[in-house]
Amino acid sequence: MRRAAAAIALATLVACRPNPRNEIAEIAGVAMEEVARTAQGRPLCVDRVIAPWQEASASRRVDPPAPPGYGDLYAAGTFRGGGGIKGDAIGGVRVGTSAACFDLRGPLVKDERAMIEVHHADIGFNVWQRRTDGVWRVAAVTTSVYAR
């Protein structure tokens, strides 16, 4: 009887945990709002397809250290994203398909923390976020550089 009650309690706890895949659109939206805010009115576009995040060595990328409290997002077992976004805009930035558009990679999601890379040309803007009171907010932005 106790085992059955414990199993039900565990199943209920697991069912209540957010599915990281369901968080992608909101995390991507927050990241693109941050990029648009810093773009000073320049026209922007973003691809709707989001590639899964890959290790720096697999992507020929140099990553800065993660901000304090976020280093474990790089560890094995972290959700690495990938998928697509519906709609005409992501975080107020229109969806497009030209080579001039940003593309997104990730997000890495663990508990109430996430990082998604907003990539353009040879630069990746790593937008680190924390969910507070159910809302994703920017905690820090770092920059990765891609080798040619």
Side-chain angles (χ1 to χ4, degrees), residues 21 24 50-59 61-64 66 70-83 103-109 114-119 124-128 142 144 146:
R21 189 156 302 288
I24 292 174
I50 301 175
W53 186 86
Q54 295 181 5
E55 297 288 336
S57 59
S59 301
R61 180 182 71 238
V62 178
D63 288 334
Y70 288 84
D72 66 330
L73 288 180
Y74 290 131
T78 299
F79 177 76
R80 294 181 180 249
D103 62 282
L104 300 170
R105 297 168 185 195
L108 297 174
V109 182
M115 186 280 287
I116 190 165
E117 180 186 349
V118 181
H119 177 258
F125 302 103
N126 306 307
V127 182
W128 303 87
T142 59
S144 295
Y146 283 76

Side-chain angles (χ1 to χ4, degrees), residues 65-114:
Y70 288 84
D72 66 330
L73 288 180
Y74 290 131
T78 299
F79 177 76
R80 294 181 180 249
I85 302 288
K86 296 178 182 175
D88 297 334
I90 301 173
V93 175
R94 74 178 176 77
V95 169
T97 56
S98 84
C101 292
F102 288 95
D103 62 282
L104 300 170
R105 297 168 185 195
L108 297 174
V109 182
K110 193 171 211 174
D111 302 323
E112 304 294 313
R113 296 162 300 127

